[in-house]
Amino acid sequence: MDRPVRPKPNASPPTPPGATLAWRRRPVAGFRTSDYQRPLLKRLTPLSKLLIFLVFLGLAATTYLIVNSVVSNKTNDESLSERLARATLVGTPTLAQPVVIVPATGEGVASAAAPTVTAVPQPAITAAPVEVTIKLATAQPAFIPPPTPTVDPLGAAWQNQMLRQADGTLMAPELVVTQARIEAGAFYALLRDLPLDQYLARRDSIFAEHFAGAALQGILRIEKARKQYSMNRSGQVEIRIRDFSANGLSATALISSRGWTNDVYDISTGALIEKGRRDKDTLTVSRIMFERMSGRWKFAIINQVVEVNSP
């Protein structure tokens, strides 16, 4: 005979068939899944940590290069004429008359088609030098002697051969004018296809050969502080000389620059930053002087740089 089963103390009543235990429907009090999971950083392998670090490092480097490039382009995007204009430290224009650009139809300004003077390239330069267009006058203006001719004992040898133009300015003999045109244009010829390493090696001598006085000190200080170098690839320069001083030792040079295109390099690394950057077409009004010691015409004062529209 079977003995009756005694219920255990505090035992739950028997569950009818098909019923669900109530304690299975809700979690045990105080249990949290997060207590049994490791933090995300601890679950990463060393290789995963290294890859994540490299990705962040690459993003930071890319952001720095983009910002630096934008800032450099804003601070270094200026034409050669603008850099020359900032080189003048002291001095004001000493023109007897305001600068007037006379159409090439007369009044003592060269008007006929002129021969092309090609500067002799430097030994290490293989590309064609810049062409300087020289316009020669077709007719000599009438000689109008100055009212009170004076002779400067320290003046040029040609001061007694000066011709007064219809606008009141003085013009030196044609040989002197041609020499001034060629020597002023030679500076631009040196910049054509001059590699960065040669520019850095010859920079001081190039500017000392074509600038004088405060203009020389100013342009050297500006160029040595620059972070980018513009190597000229193409462009035309036309130079007109007029308005000589009474002693013949200074004159005004009108320099028209058109189609000036450069390859821009970073000076510190030598890397090419931009290829074929186009400069603005400009008209530069400068004062040149004849240096007795070297026997050359040099830039002394850059009076004005004006942007012009291409024809």
Side-chain angles (χ1 to χ4, degrees):
M1 182 175 180
D2 295 336
R3 295 179 180 179
V5 179
R6 295 180 179 180
K8 296 180 180 181
N10 301 326
S12 302
T15 304
T20 305
L21 294 177
W23 63 271
R24 293 181 180 177
R25 296 180 180 175
R26 57 181 182 273
V28 178
F31 174 80
R32 290 182 301 179
T33 305
S34 60
D35 292 341
Y36 296 89
Q37 291 181 347
R38 291 186 302 169
L40 178 61
L41 187 60
K42 292 183 178 180
R43 282 185 284 168
L44 295 177
T45 63
L47 179 59
S48 300
K49 295 178 181 179
L50 177 61
L51 293 177
I52 294 175
F53 173 76
L54 292 178
V55 170
F56 277 103
L57 184 62
L59 291 176
T62 303
T63 304
Y64 172 77
L65 292 177
I66 293 175
V67 173
N68 185 59
S69 176
V70 172
V71 173
S72 298
N73 289 338
K74 289 183 179 180
T75 56
N76 292 278
D77 188 12
E78 59 179 351
S79 65
L80 173 64
S81 299
E82 292 169 338
R83 286 151 50 195
L84 297 181
R86 292 199 300 115
T88 302
L89 300 180
V90 295
T92 56
T94 56
L95 308 181
Q97 298 287 340
V99 176
V100 178
I101 303 175
V102 184
T105 56
E107 297 186 0
V109 178
S111 59
T116 299
V117 177
T118 303
V120 179
Q122 299 299 316
I125 302 174
T126 57
V130 68
E131 295 183 350
V132 179
T133 303
I134 299 177
K135 297 181 179 295
L136 302 178
T138 56
Q140 288 287 348
F143 175 72
I144 304 176
T148 54
T150 57
V151 177
D152 184 354
L154 301 178
W158 54 84
Q159 64 176 319
N160 292 329
Q161 305 174 34
M162 309 283 286
L163 297 178
R164 186 168 295 277
Q165 309 299 294
D167 61 358
T169 61
L170 295 174
M171 180 66 71
E174 187 59 35
L175 290 178
V176 177
V177 176
T178 301
Q179 179 187 358
R181 284 196 189 106
I182 294 175
E183 292 177 352
F187 170 71
Y188 295 88
L190 286 173
L191 301 181
R192 177 65 54 86
D193 296 320
L194 183 65
L196 175 60
D197 55 346
Q198 295 188 27
Y199 163 75
L200 295 176
R202 300 170 50 197
R203 178 171 54 190
D204 292 355
S205 61
I206 288 176
F207 287 110
E209 184 178 358
H210 295 90
F211 289 78
L216 173 60
Q217 301 302 321
I219 192 66
L220 284 177
R221 187 180 67 256
I222 292 173
E223 290 299 314
K224 290 180 179 179
R226 292 184 64 80
K227 297 181 180 179
Q228 295 181 0
Y229 166 64
S230 299
M231 180 173 67
N232 176 244
R233 286 300 192 183
S234 62
Q236 297 178 351
V237 176
E238 179 182 337
I239 299 178
R240 290 173 290 169
I241 307 296
R242 67 186 306 276
D243 191 19
F244 280 78
S245 62
N247 61 5
L249 293 177
S250 64
T252 295
L254 305 177
I255 306 169
S256 299
S257 175
R258 298 185 179 90
W260 206 255
T261 304
N262 306 312
D263 289 347
V264 184
Y265 291 85
D266 183 272
I267 293 180
S268 60
T269 63
L272 177 63
I273 298 177
E274 183 178 352
K275 187 175 182 63
R277 175 187 291 179
R278 173 69 182 269
D279 277 355
K280 301 173 182 178
D281 294 346
T282 58
L283 171 64
T284 303
V285 182
S286 63
R287 197 69 181 171
I288 59 176
M289 60 170 290
F290 183 78
E291 187 179 69
R292 294 179 180 275
M293 182 176 299
S294 62
R296 294 180 56 88
W297 288 91
K298 297 186 176 183
F299 293 102
I301 300 175
I302 309 298
N303 292 334
Q304 187 180 18
V305 179
V306 180
E307 294 182 15
V308 296
N309 296 325
S310 301

